[in-house]
Amino acid sequence: MLSMTPETEQRAAQLRQKLQEASYAYYALDNPIMEDAVYDRLYRELQDLEAQYPELVTPDSPTQRVGERPATHFSSVKHNIPLYSLENAFDLGELASWQGRWQRYAKENLAGSDLNLAEYVCELKIDGSAIALTYENGILVRGATRGDGVSGEDITSNIRTIRAIPLKLNLENPPALVEVRGEAFLPLDVFERINQERSQAGEALLANPRNAAAGTLRQLDAKSVAERRLDFFAYTIHLADSPSSQWESLEILQQMGFRVNPNRRLCASLAEVGAFYEQWDEGRRSLPYMTDGVVVKLNLTTLQEQLGFTQKFPRWAIALKYPAEEAPTKVAHISVNVGRTGAITPLAHLEAVQLAGTTVQRATLHNGDRIAQLDIRIGDTVIIRKAGEIIPEVVRVLHDLRPPGTEVFQMPSHCPVCGESVFKPADEAVIRCINTSCPAILKASLVHWASRDALDINGMGEKIVEQLVEKQVISSVADLYELTAAKLGDLERMGQKTAQKLVDAIATSKSKPWDRVLYGLGIRHVGSVNAQNITQKFTSVEQLANATSAQIQSIYGVGTEIADAIYQWFQVPANQALISRLQAAGLQFVAEKNEKTATNQSLQGKTFVITGTLPTLKRDEAKALIINAGGKVTGSVSAKTDYLLVGEDAGSKLDKAIELGIIQLAESELLEMLNS
């Protein structure tokens, strides 16, 4: 093995420095200082030296941008500083309302602040994927996705492939710790090139640059990520000694070696903000990346800190979004879909059209009232947009372009699946199929029954359910418990062993507790948490079936809508017959209490909320322990919450608990309370 000389070590350091300077000039300053051929030659020299002397390899070396081996998974990491989402404003009026809100808050809580001197920083809102970067002593040590804002996925190997992200900060004396936030995005020309290549290869096209960027960041092979050539703009920095303003933060980020969007402005008034917003409404269409709005931030760091956060958003920033993109297309067909609760929803099938970077071929029409209001017909030319840039909807019909011979669309008087008459509740716009044997309702009900939070029947997915119903193997949830491996033999890809496993999984579900059974019944508005609280009060199905709506409503967290839905469900003879069959099959309709849990009321009167994945307990097991000890479990954090049980990947509930000063417990602490 060759021994390394001081000259070799020095040469490697010089090469790293030269290559880093060249990358900074090219990607951050857009001002190349080195020919590509020269860069490639120096890069190859460094690569050869590191291959010969592996001890020369450093985390900030340009050769470490792409790893040699694909990752097998991404681990979850907790952000040192939460990544809050932004409140949205959709026009200048809503922006003015936001200004009024933060100013009122400041006047009530921040005595002595001169709010008339407040400045705003406007930055284009890049339509990409938010990421968090951590630097220790100037070296990139971690890159993570936003995730839920509290925790994200560690994608450091992929982050290293993005040339606009420095592996080493461009500072002589970097701080011990720096947190940088920014947006990774796919340039439009790269997006188009990738789709051209995929089209030629007969592969499905990428939907839009935003989704493509997020998907790219989660590729397990860093080399594949490098080929996508993602770009990056930094917009926030967190230091021990914070910059005095957002504008200064952006300048510091540039000095550190990051790309900062040059299309930004320091504004002295809301009128200047409006001018910037309107300028880029048209100008954004010529940009090499997608942007869907302007982020407006109060400039002074001290004012930001004083204003703080609401339950969800910073008070000192807002995303001023551009109007949803609209596009014309034609209605090729109108169909209706039957959901689990029997709701019949009309759907417009459209000639394919590009909208906000995606291909749209269907749009919801909501209900019959909306169809009548639009006067929409097959063959019409319509204007569609994405509500919140996510769900396509029909905005209006261009009646002047209507072809002759069109007919008014009528919502069905009978269910399109089972043929039974539909029902329209007096207080609802939706029509419903109320035939519990309807195949569409049955399919959705079976999928729900077998879901993880209900009876958790392993192996009973949508494809199996579809075959069971279409081949008339079963016509009710109760029929599941009469299945044998022989009866399942006619299903596609269902061998004897697989069939027996499914039968065994169904049999195992008989042991699931009463609250899981109640949730599995699929009563409207009854979620898994409410089912826990309801079965704590009504410990048998007979008690619940004989309860009045008012009695059910007396349960903590149960309102009129839920109580009425439960009461009405138990009045239906077909549902009563279903309960009888399930009881005969051996399902649990009585809450079990052993001697230990019956006497342990250590959590009496205490309200808990659970967030994240617990080390050993499933969430429903933790709920059962709390409820059996006299506690309550609810789905959302409020001032009435006593404890937040926190596991891995805790969500926004943790933020709210911190804000409200609610006690946080680990699983071990809960178990200690129960055993004390």
Side-chain angles (χ1 to χ4, degrees), residues 1 9 63 148 409 582 673:
M1 186 175 182
E9 189 172 5
T63 63
D148 60 9
F409 182 83
L582 291 172
M673 291 173 68

Side-chain angles (χ1 to χ4, degrees), residues 136 169 404:
E136 293 180 359
L169 298 179

Side-chain angles (χ1 to χ4, degrees), residues 275-352:
F276 181 86
Y277 170 74
E278 290 172 351
Q279 170 195 343
W280 284 104
D281 190 9
E282 183 62 34
R284 65 194 173 107
R285 304 183 192 283
S286 61
L287 291 169
Y289 47 80
M290 289 191 69
T291 178
D292 57 356
V294 173
V295 176
V296 184
K297 303 175 184 175
L298 283 164
N299 188 34
L300 289 179
T301 303
T302 52
L303 188 53
Q304 291 181 8
E305 293 172 348
Q306 289 170 337
L307 288 173
F309 299 81
T310 66
Q311 293 179 5
K312 294 183 178 180
F313 313 115
R315 292 189 178 89
W316 44 267
I318 194 166
L320 178 56
K321 306 291 285 289
Y322 289 112
E325 187 178 325
E326 297 182 350
T329 186
K330 288 185 178 181
V331 179
H333 178 58
I334 297 176
S335 66
V336 292
N337 179 62
V338 184
R340 176 172 63 84
T341 62
I344 297 177
T345 305
L347 192 69
H349 297 256
L350 311 166
E351 291 184 0

Side-chain angles (χ1 to χ4, degrees), residues 84-102:
Y84 285 87
S85 57
L86 293 178
E87 182 181 2
N88 289 327
F90 292 96
D91 55 44
L92 295 177
E94 292 185 2
L95 180 69
S97 297
W98 165 74
Q99 178 179 256
R101 287 196 299 276
W102 77 255

Side-chain angles (χ1 to χ4, degrees), residues 531-544:
Q532 288 268 358
N533 294 333
I534 292 165
T535 54
Q536 182 186 9
K537 170 84 172 180
F538 299 99
T539 57
S540 71
V541 69
E542 289 78 15
Q543 290 180 9
L544 184 58

Side-chain angles (χ1 to χ4, degrees), residues 71-121:
T72 57
H73 70 283
F74 295 119
S75 59
S76 176
V77 292
K78 189 170 183 179
H79 296 304
N80 296 325
I81 301 168
L83 278 78
Y84 285 87
S85 57
L86 293 178
E87 182 181 2
N88 289 327
F90 292 96
D91 55 44
L92 295 177
E94 292 185 2
L95 180 69
S97 297
W98 165 74
Q99 178 179 256
R101 287 196 299 276
W102 77 255
Q103 287 184 341
R104 281 195 300 275
Y105 180 89
K107 289 176 182 176
E108 294 170 2
N109 298 278
L110 310 178
S113 299
D114 190 349
L115 305 181
N116 294 322
L117 298 179
E119 295 178 310
Y120 297 101
V121 174

